[in-house]
């Protein structure tokens, strides 16, 4: 019949008209993000061991790692993330042995100017705390070592004096 | 409710007469009030129609449509209009400046003039012309000239092509449109719009003239330059056709006039075929003007539904369809209607 296709088209569109709408009202409603979504990065200062693996893994030289050696231990003093160059490839996350760098699901990364797009994760307070901790730990270790050494020395002197005493007594006995 | 507008007009008349004004002044001021009221009615409807079109298109495409400006986005058109008013009107070099600026103003004239004879409800007609149908169609087709004017003065190949299409399309589709109306006029025996409505008291014309209604609807889509016959502004070929060079409010006028024309053809459709302001099933407690609006919006929804369902046709297909299908069909319809009426009358007497 002539016009059958036209009627069919009308039927489909009226079905759509009363059907479910697929719009998601973005800022208020959001679609669920997949588990492996790479959004804004997150850095755990305390987990990082300053191994530099993430820096080497990154194809875009996004990460700048600052370190300082305190008492023979490497302390992270800066972890700058130049977000505008990041591909969100996740290679840094894969490379990290301690899961210190992780990606969250936050994808709203826009900023009003270029200077604020890079992220400096490490705060001065964290560095100070860490250095203090490291120093304290080192000091404690040193103190412990000293104490152990002193104990050892004391024990040695003690045994020496005992031996000397023994020798004296034997000498005395021998002389008698 | 039924006579709210008629009473309001009568009240104003009494007030002016009791103020001791001469009857000529009273008549003129009453007429002015009525025309301003019609103007406001049309403009409000046009604003609403733009919003409605966006909503209908959105719903058909599984979207929500404008919903940020005001409740349900109802003030979206107003926001858009304000934006367009604030834009610069660019007048290209080598255009006929006067005509170029005149066209967007004139485009509103034919639809506005036509609404003067439209019966909006029982006793609600500004001018009860006895050749109302004739006046209606004659003036409505004048917008062709205005669009041609816009295209010609723009001095641009796309505008010219677009306006040539307008003339070809609108003049061609005027023929089946008129021929389909002839069937109704034959049956009712009058060209007075109020007369046609009262003649449908027992049965609506759509049941006596279904073919005419179909032809009218198709021709109306073409007359208002809407999809599937919107070749005039086929974006992929000729940008926006005659309106290519217009910017700001000039463009907005053409855009809004399209909706004024939609309102107009839907009005005529509901008057001629759907019984105008007559209440169906004896539901007379709802005022007649509300019934007319309901019917008009039913037809408008139909047009919007068509628009968002069908793709654009090609110009040769469209012309062939008009001259090879619609016109012969309309002529046959008149013929059959005439014979049917003759037989009916000879059987009755
Ligand atoms: S996600 Fe890829 S590009 Fe971004 S910092 Fe990590 S390794 Fe570099
Ligand atoms: S790979 Fe992980 S632990 Fe190593 S420096 Fe990078 S963030 Fe720190």
């Amino acid at each position: 019949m002539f016009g059958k296709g036209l009627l069919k088209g009308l039927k489909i569109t009226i079905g759509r008209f009363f059907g479910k709408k697929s719009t998601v009202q973005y800022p208020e409603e959001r679609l669920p993000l997949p588990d492996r979504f790479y959004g804004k990065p997150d850095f755990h200062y305390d987990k990082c061991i300053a191994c530099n693996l993430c820096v080497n893994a990154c194809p875009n030289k996004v990460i700048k790692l600052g370190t300082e050696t305190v008492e023979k231990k490497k302390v992270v003093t800066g972890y700058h993330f130049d977000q505008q160059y990041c591909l969100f490839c996740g290679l840094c996350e894969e490379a990290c042995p301690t899961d210190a760098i992780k990606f969250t699901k936050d994808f709203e990364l826009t900023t009003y100017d270029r200077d604020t797009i890079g992220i400096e994760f490490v705060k001065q307070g964290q560095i100070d705390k860490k250095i203090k901790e490291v120093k304290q730990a080192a000091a404690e270790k040193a103190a412990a070592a000293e104490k152990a050494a002193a104990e050892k020395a004391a024990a040695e002197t003690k045994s020496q004096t005992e031996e000397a005493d023994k020798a004296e007594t034997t000498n005395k006995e021998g002389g008698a | 409710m039924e006579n709210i507008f008629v009473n309001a007009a009568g009240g104003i008349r009494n007030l002016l007469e009791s103020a001791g004004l001469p009857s000529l002044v009273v008549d003129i001021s009453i007429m002015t009030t009525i025309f301003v009221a019609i103007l406001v009615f049309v403009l409000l409807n046009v604003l609403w129609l733009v919003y409605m079109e966006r909503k209908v298109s959105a719903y058909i495409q599984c979207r929500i449509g404008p919903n940020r400006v005001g409740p349900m986005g109802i003030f979206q058109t107003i926001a858009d209009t304000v934006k367009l008013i604030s834009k610069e009107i660019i007048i290209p070099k080598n255009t006929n400046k006067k005509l170029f600026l005149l066209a967007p103003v004139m485009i509103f004239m034919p639809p506005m003039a036509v609404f003067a004879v439209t019966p909006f409800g029982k006793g609600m007609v500004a001018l009860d012309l006895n050749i109302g149908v004739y006046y209606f169609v004659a003036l409505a087709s004048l917008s062709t000239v205005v669009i041609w004017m816009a295209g010609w003065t723009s001095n641009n190949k796309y505008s010219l092509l677009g306006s040539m299409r307008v003339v070809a399309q609108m003049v061609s589709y005027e023929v089946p449109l008129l021929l389909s109306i002839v069937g109704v006029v034959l049956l009712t025996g009058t060209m007075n719009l109020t007369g046609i409505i009262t003649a449908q008291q027992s049965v609506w014309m759509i049941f006596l003239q279904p073919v005419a209604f179909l032809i009218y609807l198709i021709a109306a889509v073409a007359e208002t330059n809407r999809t599937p016959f919107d070749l005039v502004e086929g974006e992929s070929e000729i940008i926006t056709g005659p309106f290519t060079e217009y910017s700001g409010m000039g463009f907005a006028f053409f855009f809004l006039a399209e909706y004024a024309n939609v309102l107009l053809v839907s009005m005529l459709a509901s008057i001629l075929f759907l019984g105008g302001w007559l209440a169906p099933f004896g539901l007379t407690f709802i005022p007649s003007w509300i019934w007319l609006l309901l019917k008009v919006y039913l037809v408008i929804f139909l047009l919007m539904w068509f628009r968002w369902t069908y793709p654009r046709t090609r110009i040769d297909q469209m012309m062939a369809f008009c001259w090879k299908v619609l016109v012969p069909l309309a002529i046959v319809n008149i013929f059959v209607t005439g014979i049917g009426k003759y037989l009916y009358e000879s059987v009755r007497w």
Side-chain angles (χ1 to χ4, degrees):
Chain A
M1 194 189 92
F2 178 75
K4 208 171 160 189
L6 295 178
L7 289 180
K8 198 176 163 193
L10 286 178
K11 210 180 112 200
I12 289 174
T13 44
I14 202 72
R16 290 277 190 280
F17 184 85
F18 290 110
K20 201 178 160 289
K21 305 289 164 271
S22 51
T23 308
V24 177
Q25 300 272 309
Y26 161 59
E28 290 99 39
E29 300 166 18
R30 281 148 197 262
L31 289 172
L33 290 170
D35 284 342
R36 293 198 287 173
F37 187 85
Y38 288 117
K40 194 185 177 109
D42 195 14
F43 178 70
H44 299 281
Y45 181 80
D46 292 326
K47 282 192 193 164
C48 181
I49 51 169
C51 65
N52 222 27
L53 282 177
C54 53
V55 180
N56 289 334
C58 179
N60 273 8
K61 298 191 168 50
V62 171
I63 304 169
K64 304 263 175 323
L65 178 71
T67 54
E68 192 179 294
T69 313
V70 180
E71 307 278 350
K72 288 188 203 152
K73 265 201 107 168
K74 260 181 153 183
V75 172
V76 180
T77 53
Y79 198 88
H80 189 77
F81 198 89
D82 269 335
Q83 207 172 196
Q84 71 266 42
Y85 301 124
C86 181
L87 306 163
F88 298 96
C89 61
L91 287 177
C92 50
E93 186 185 312
E94 256 173 58
C96 181
T98 58
D99 283 349
I101 180 98
K102 276 271 176 201
F103 286 88
T104 60
K105 286 186 183 177
D106 177 13
F107 55 87
E108 290 157 321
L109 307 174
T110 331
T111 56
Y112 280 102
D113 66 76
R114 210 181 160 83
D115 299 336
T116 49
I117 187 124
I119 314 171
E120 180 53 66
F121 282 114
V122 180
K123 305 217 169 44
Q124 191 57 44
Q126 285 177 314
I127 305 172
D128 292 345
K129 203 172 146 221
K130 184 89 174 186
I131 288 179
K132 219 166 121 192
E133 272 172 22
V134 169
K135 276 189 174 158
Q136 201 180 335
E140 264 169 26
K141 211 176 162 189
E146 229 167 67
K147 204 176 155 199
E151 262 171 23
K152 209 179 167 190
E156 258 170 34
T157 42
K158 204 180 165 192
S159 61
Q160 266 175 16
T161 43
E162 268 172 18
E163 262 169 39
D165 285 350
K166 252 186 191 168
E168 243 172 51
T169 42
T170 43
N171 279 353
K172 270 181 191 169
E173 279 165 14
Chain B
M1 273 301 268
E2 170 65 56
N3 292 323
I4 180 164
F5 294 110
V6 178
N7 289 347
I12 296 172
R13 176 177 287 273
N14 283 343
L15 203 73
L16 291 177
E17 266 168 1
S18 61
L21 291 168
S23 63
L24 185 68
V25 178
V26 172
D27 278 346
I28 290 175
S29 42
I30 286 284
M31 266 303 162
T32 322
T33 324
I34 290 175
F35 280 118
V36 169
I38 291 177
L39 198 77
V40 170
F41 167 79
V42 173
L43 286 179
L44 284 181
N45 268 289
V46 164
L47 285 180
W48 165 257
L49 280 180
V50 176
Y51 167 75
M52 181 174 156
E53 172 105 87
R54 296 182 62 173
K55 274 290 188 193
V56 169
S57 75
Y59 271 60
I60 283 179
Q61 294 165 355
C62 292
R63 296 184 286 119
I64 295 178
N67 65 344
R68 296 279 146 162
V69 192
M72 299 281 290
I74 207 158
F75 300 130
Q76 186 65 49
T77 324
I78 296 169
D80 289 347
T81 314
V82 169
K83 188 201 92 179
L84 281 172
I85 288 175
S86 68
K87 294 230 160 182
E88 186 189 356
I89 295 180
I90 299 164
I91 302 171
K93 224 168 151 185
N94 297 332
T95 51
N96 190 332
K97 206 169 160 185
K98 274 183 210 140
L99 285 182
F100 184 78
L101 288 180
L102 202 58
V105 181
M106 299 260 287
I107 190 75
F108 261 108
M109 240 175 55
M112 286 300 174
V114 165
F115 280 110
V117 298
T118 317
F120 288 96
K122 208 180 256 170
M124 280 167 63
V125 48
L127 267 178
D128 206 4
L129 276 189
N130 56 3
I131 49 161
V133 176
Y134 182 70
Y135 175 88
F136 205 110
V137 199
L139 271 186
S141 59
L142 268 185
S143 45
T144 320
V145 181
V146 183
I147 297 180
W148 168 251
M149 187 161 115
W152 180 259
T153 52
S154 291
N155 203 2
N156 168 317
K157 59 190 169 204
Y158 298 121
S159 305
L160 190 59
L161 277 175
S163 45
M164 275 158 78
R165 282 186 183 184
V166 170
V167 175
Q169 174 178 339
M170 284 184 141
V171 169
S172 313
Y173 273 85
E174 205 87 333
V175 179
L177 187 92
L178 285 175
L179 291 180
S180 70
I181 293 176
V182 169
V184 176
V185 174
L186 261 182
L187 285 186
T188 53
T190 172
M191 273 200 169
N192 183 322
L193 289 172
T194 316
I196 289 177
I197 292 175
T198 41
Q200 299 177 60
Q201 196 81 54
S202 49
V203 56
W204 289 359
M205 272 306 151
I206 184 173
F207 301 116
L208 298 179
Q209 292 280 326
V211 180
F213 180 69
L214 206 63
I215 295 170
Y216 177 87
L217 212 58
I218 296 171
V221 173
E223 280 292 301
T224 47
N225 299 326
R226 293 165 66 81
T227 332
F229 304 120
D230 67 337
L231 293 143
V232 171
E233 35 192 287
E235 294 90 345
S236 50
E237 308 148 18
I238 48 169
I239 314 181
T240 19
F243 322 129
T244 307
E245 294 292 356
Y246 285 92
S247 59
M249 217 41 214
F251 179 77
F253 269 140
F254 283 112
F255 190 71
L256 296 176
E258 187 194 320
Y259 288 96
N261 281 321
V262 169
L263 187 66
L264 194 142
V265 292
S266 312
M267 208 94 165
L268 193 58
S270 39
I271 287 170
L272 292 181
F273 296 100
L274 300 178
W277 40 257
L278 290 177
F281 314 120
L283 295 170
T284 39
F285 65 92
I286 299 173
S288 57
W289 44 276
I290 290 189
W291 273 118
L292 182 77
L293 274 183
L294 283 179
K295 288 169 186 174
V296 167
Y297 271 91
L298 188 78
V299 179
I300 289 175
F301 180 76
L302 215 59
L303 293 183
M304 289 184 175
W305 187 10
F306 288 165
R307 170 159 184 182
W308 297 103
T309 304
Y310 298 136
R312 184 180 296 139
T313 52
R314 229 169 41 216
I315 186 131
D316 58 322
Q317 293 169 336
M318 187 194 72
M319 285 308 201
F321 183 64
C322 173
W323 292 107
K324 289 182 187 165
V325 179
L326 287 186
V327 172
L329 207 62
I331 291 175
V332 169
N333 183 54
I334 294 175
F335 200 65
V336 172
T337 310
I339 293 175
K341 188 178 177 180
Y342 181 76
L343 285 179
Y344 181 70
E345 279 175 357
S346 47
V347 164
R348 208 163 42 167
W349 288 295

